[in-house]
Coordinates of all heavy atoms in Angstrom, one line a residue:
L1 N 14.2 -17.1 -5.8 CA 15.2 -17.4 -4.8 C 16.2 -18.3 -5.4 O 15.9 -19.4 -5.8 CB 14.5 -18.0 -3.6 CG 15.5 -18.6 -2.5 CD1 16.3 -17.5 -1.9 CD2 14.7 -19.3 -1.4
F2 N 17.5 -17.8 -5.5 CA 18.6 -18.5 -6.0 C 19.2 -19.4 -4.9 O 19.0 -19.1 -3.7 CB 19.7 -17.6 -6.6 CG 19.2 -16.8 -7.8 CD1 18.5 -15.6 -7.6 CD2 19.3 -17.3 -9.1 CE1 18.1 -14.8 -8.6 CE2 18.9 -16.5 -10.2 CZ 18.2 -15.3 -9.9
R3 N 20.0 -20.4 -5.3 CA 20.5 -21.3 -4.3 C 21.5 -20.7 -3.3 O 21.8 -21.2 -2.3 CB 21.1 -22.6 -5.0 CG 20.0 -23.4 -5.6 CD 20.6 -24.8 -6.1 NE 19.5 -25.6 -6.7 CZ 18.6 -26.3 -6.0 NH1 18.7 -26.3 -4.7 NH2 17.7 -27.0 -6.6
N4 N 22.1 -19.6 -3.8 CA 23.1 -18.9 -2.9 C 22.4 -17.9 -1.9 O 23.0 -17.2 -1.2 CB 24.1 -18.2 -3.7 CG 23.5 -17.1 -4.6 OD1 22.2 -16.9 -4.6 ND2 24.3 -16.4 -5.4
G5 N 21.0 -17.9 -1.9 CA 20.3 -17.1 -1.0 C 19.9 -15.7 -1.6 O 19.1 -15.0 -0.9
L6 N 20.3 -15.4 -2.8 CA 19.9 -14.2 -3.5 C 18.4 -14.2 -3.8 O 17.9 -15.2 -4.4 CB 20.7 -13.9 -4.7 CG 20.3 -12.8 -5.6 CD1 20.5 -11.5 -4.9 CD2 21.1 -12.8 -7.0
V7 N 17.7 -13.2 -3.6 CA 16.3 -13.1 -3.9 C 16.1 -11.8 -4.7 O 16.6 -10.7 -4.4 CB 15.4 -13.0 -2.7 CG1 13.9 -12.8 -3.1 CG2 15.5 -14.3 -1.9
L8 N 15.4 -11.9 -5.9 CA 15.0 -10.7 -6.7 C 13.6 -10.8 -7.0 O 13.0 -11.9 -7.3 CB 15.8 -10.7 -8.0 CG 17.3 -10.6 -7.9 CD1 18.0 -10.7 -9.3 CD2 17.7 -9.2 -7.3
G9 N 12.9 -9.7 -6.9 CA 11.4 -9.7 -7.1 C 10.8 -8.3 -7.4 O 11.5 -7.3 -7.3
T10 N 9.5 -8.4 -7.7 CA 8.8 -7.1 -7.9 C 7.4 -7.4 -7.4 O 6.9 -8.5 -7.3 CB 8.8 -6.8 -9.4 OG1 8.1 -5.5 -9.6 CG2 8.0 -7.8 -10.2
A11 N 6.7 -6.3 -7.1 CA 5.3 -6.4 -6.5 C 4.6 -5.1 -6.9 O 5.1 -4.1 -7.2 CB 5.4 -6.5 -5.0
V12 N 3.2 -5.3 -6.9 CA 2.3 -4.1 -7.1 C 1.4 -4.1 -5.9 O 1.2 -5.1 -5.2 CB 1.5 -4.2 -8.4 CG1 2.4 -4.1 -9.6 CG2 0.7 -5.5 -8.4
S13 N 1.0 -2.9 -5.5 CA 0.2 -2.7 -4.3 C -0.9 -1.7 -4.5 O -0.9 -0.9 -5.4 CB 1.1 -2.3 -3.1 OG 1.6 -0.9 -3.4
Y14 N -1.9 -1.8 -3.6 CA -3.0 -0.9 -3.6 C -3.4 -0.6 -2.1 O -3.4 -1.6 -1.3 CB -4.3 -1.4 -4.3 CG -5.5 -0.6 -4.1 CD1 -5.7 0.7 -4.7 CD2 -6.5 -1.1 -3.2 CE1 -6.8 1.4 -4.4 CE2 -7.7 -0.3 -3.0 CZ -7.8 0.9 -3.6 OH -8.9 1.7 -3.3
G15 N -3.6 0.6 -1.8 CA -4.1 1.0 -0.5 C -5.2 2.0 -0.5 O -5.2 2.9 -1.3
H16 N -6.2 1.8 0.3 CA -7.3 2.7 0.4 C -7.4 3.2 1.9 O -7.5 2.4 2.8 CB -8.6 2.0 0.0 CG -9.8 2.9 0.1 ND1 -10.0 4.0 -0.6 CD2 -10.9 2.8 1.0 CE1 -11.1 4.6 -0.3 NE2 -11.7 3.9 0.7
E17 N -7.5 4.5 2.0 CA -7.5 5.1 3.3 C -8.7 6.0 3.4 O -9.0 6.9 2.6 CB -6.2 6.0 3.4 CG -5.9 6.7 4.7 CD -4.6 7.3 4.7 OE1 -3.6 6.7 5.0 OE2 -4.5 8.5 4.3
F18 N -9.4 5.9 4.5 CA -10.6 6.7 4.8 C -10.7 7.0 6.2 O -10.3 6.2 7.1 CB -11.9 6.0 4.2 CG -12.1 4.6 4.8 CD1 -13.0 4.5 5.9 CD2 -11.5 3.5 4.3 CE1 -13.2 3.2 6.5 CE2 -11.7 2.2 4.8 CZ -12.5 2.1 5.9
G19 N -11.3 8.1 6.6 CA -11.5 8.5 8.0 C -12.3 9.8 8.2 O -12.7 10.4 7.2
S20 N -12.4 10.2 9.4 CA -13.2 11.3 9.7 C -12.4 12.2 10.8 O -11.7 11.7 11.6 CB -14.6 10.9 10.3 OG -14.4 10.1 11.5
F21 N -12.6 13.5 10.6 CA -12.0 14.5 11.5 C -12.9 14.6 12.8 O -14.1 14.5 12.7 CB -11.8 15.8 10.9 CG -10.8 15.8 9.7 CD1 -11.3 16.0 8.4 CD2 -9.4 15.6 9.9 CE1 -10.4 16.0 7.4 CE2 -8.6 15.6 8.9 CZ -9.0 15.8 7.6
D22 N -12.3 14.8 13.9 CA -13.0 15.0 15.1 C -14.0 16.2 15.1 O -15.0 16.2 15.7 CB -12.1 15.1 16.3 CG -11.3 13.9 16.6 OD1 -11.6 12.8 16.0 OD2 -10.4 13.9 17.4
T23 N -13.6 17.2 14.3 CA -14.4 18.4 14.2 C -15.3 18.4 13.0 O -15.9 19.5 12.7 CB -13.4 19.6 14.1 OG1 -12.5 19.4 13.0 CG2 -12.7 19.9 15.4
G24 N -15.5 17.3 12.3 CA -16.4 17.2 11.2 C -15.6 17.1 9.9 O -14.5 17.6 9.7
G25 N -16.3 16.4 8.9 CA -15.6 16.2 7.6 C -14.8 14.9 7.7 O -14.7 14.2 8.7
G26 N -14.1 14.7 6.6 CA -13.2 13.5 6.5 C -12.4 13.5 5.3 O -12.2 14.5 4.6
F27 N -11.9 12.3 4.9 CA -11.0 12.2 3.8 C -11.1 10.8 3.2 O -11.6 9.8 3.9 CB -9.5 12.5 4.2 CG -9.1 11.7 5.4 CD1 -8.5 10.5 5.3 CD2 -9.2 12.3 6.7 CE1 -8.1 9.8 6.4 CE2 -8.8 11.6 7.8 CZ -8.2 10.3 7.7
D28 N -10.7 10.6 2.0 CA -10.8 9.4 1.3 C -9.6 9.4 0.3 O -9.6 10.1 -0.7 CB -12.1 9.2 0.6 CG -12.4 7.8 0.2 OD1 -11.8 7.3 -0.7 OD2 -13.3 7.2 0.8
H29 N -8.6 8.5 0.4 CA -7.4 8.5 -0.4 C -7.2 7.1 -1.0 O -7.6 6.1 -0.4 CB -6.2 8.9 0.4 CG -6.3 10.1 1.2 ND1 -6.9 11.2 0.7 CD2 -5.9 10.4 2.5 CE1 -6.9 12.2 1.6 NE2 -6.3 11.7 2.7
D30 N -6.6 7.0 -2.2 CA -6.2 5.8 -2.8 C -4.7 5.9 -3.2 O -4.2 7.0 -3.6 CB -7.0 5.5 -4.0 CG -8.5 5.2 -3.7 OD1 -8.7 4.1 -3.2 OD2 -9.3 6.1 -4.0
A31 N -4.0 4.8 -3.1 CA -2.6 4.7 -3.5 C -2.3 3.5 -4.3 O -2.8 2.4 -4.0 CB -1.7 4.7 -2.3
Y32 N -1.6 3.7 -5.5 CA -1.3 2.6 -6.4 C 0.2 2.5 -6.5 O 0.8 3.5 -7.0 CB -2.0 2.8 -7.8 CG -3.5 3.1 -7.7 CD1 -3.9 4.3 -7.5 CD2 -4.4 2.0 -7.9 CE1 -5.3 4.6 -7.4 CE2 -5.7 2.3 -7.8 CZ -6.2 3.5 -7.6 OH -7.5 3.8 -7.5

């Protein structure tokens, strides 16, 4: 954060998604 209010940055993320279908079966996903 600079004094004039400018912000510069970077980030890394991870997400894991899992679930089940109402009719059977499911899924499992990952995001980087």
Side-chain angles (χ1 to χ4, degrees):
L1 172 63
F2 297 86
R3 292 193 178 276
N4 61 359
L6 172 66
V7 177
L8 295 175
T10 186
V12 294
S13 65
Y14 168 73
H16 178 64
E17 183 175 274
F18 56 96
S20 58
F21 297 111
D22 293 350
T23 50
F27 51 89
D28 198 289
H29 310 317
D30 292 288
Y32 307 84

